[in-house]
Amino acid sequence: MSAAGRVVVVAGATSETGLAVTRALTDAGAQVIATGRSADRLAALRDAGAQVEVADATSREAMTSLAAKIGPVDGVLPLVGGWRGGGGLAGQSDADFDALLPALQAVRATSRAFDDALRTSDAGRFAIVSSTAVARPLVGGANYAAVKAASEAWARAVAHGFAKAARDAEEQLHAASVVFRAKSLEPDALAAAVVGLWDQAAVDLNDTVIEI
């Protein structure tokens, strides 16, 4: 298997990381659907070869509409995220926590909207970007680590859903949910790891944590 010919949704793609992932996937022969809330910011992704769609990755309604529009999908990668922290425990403000929550909301919205499509694919892949802070949370990043930990828990539940559906249908597992963990995210390293998701069988990938 390879990424060639795969249809991959990169949700919340209007960042340096989103552009790197899009370029790597298109170079590998995949068809990329890149989403963002700003048409202007999607222009660079269009130039990189992606089909672009103005859509809010944190909205289940928007992602469900997109799923119905584009049809079969082989991969989904929500990239909504960012860092807010510092100031010790007292500095873990509600405002910062609220600003970090869209990352979890995007994981929930995209996984729910594309669940059927990924399970129907012969090589469905759902992947999220997390942080090594989950394994060793620091007081100045408690909000951030908590949101990432919740996102990982959700992605593992998605993995269980894939496995259960295959088991109940008495079919081979074709879909996998994966967590990428990074200490300091390097866009090119993530891009290469995403392309590599189709180099391994789902049974070997599902419910795994890959450090990049």
Side-chain angles (χ1 to χ4, degrees):
M1 294 190 299
S2 74
R6 299 297 176 186
V7 179
V8 184
V9 175
V10 183
T14 56
S15 64
E16 180 184 356
T17 299
L19 184 58
V21 169
T22 295
R23 285 174 172 162
L25 284 168
T26 55
D27 287 348
Q31 176 188 349
V32 177
I33 295 101
T35 81
R37 292 182 293 182
S38 165
D40 289 342
R41 294 185 65 190
L42 285 166
L45 294 149
R46 182 187 294 109
D47 292 344
Q51 172 186 331
V52 298
E53 299 286 345
V54 177
D56 182 357
T58 69
S59 165
R60 184 188 179 195
E61 181 179 2
M63 290 296 99
T64 300
S65 295
L66 179 62
K69 177 181 179 180
I70 63 180
V73 165
D74 302 297
V76 176
L77 177 71
L79 285 180
V80 176
W83 161 261
R84 297 283 287 268
L89 201 60
Q92 304 304 294
S93 69
D94 291 345
D96 282 351
F97 187 73
D98 290 343
L100 291 165
L101 272 179
L104 174 59
Q105 292 166 341
V107 170
R108 295 182 68 249
T110 54
S111 63
R112 296 170 77 194
F114 290 99
D115 185 57
D116 287 343
L118 292 174
R119 286 191 286 107
T120 301
S121 168
D122 67 345
R125 301 290 185 266
F126 180 76
I128 71 164
V129 180
S130 186
S131 169
T132 54
V134 171
R136 188 174 184 273
L138 302 179
V139 68
N143 278 336
Y144 178 75
V147 169
K148 289 298 187 183
S151 296
E152 287 198 14
W154 189 275
R156 294 196 66 190
V158 173
H160 177 258
F162 288 160
K164 184 177 186 302
R167 186 169 60 249
D168 290 350
E170 298 183 344
E171 296 177 348
Q172 183 178 347
L173 180 64
H174 294 294
S177 176
V178 175
V179 173
F180 292 120
R181 273 190 194 166
K183 182 176 183 179
S184 177
L185 184 60
E186 295 291 338
D188 290 341
L190 175 64
V194 170
V195 171
L197 286 173
W198 288 272
D199 293 341
Q200 299 182 60
V203 68
D204 297 322
L205 279 174
N206 196 40
D207 200 15
T208 60
V209 175
I210 300 173
E211 294 199 3
I212 56 173

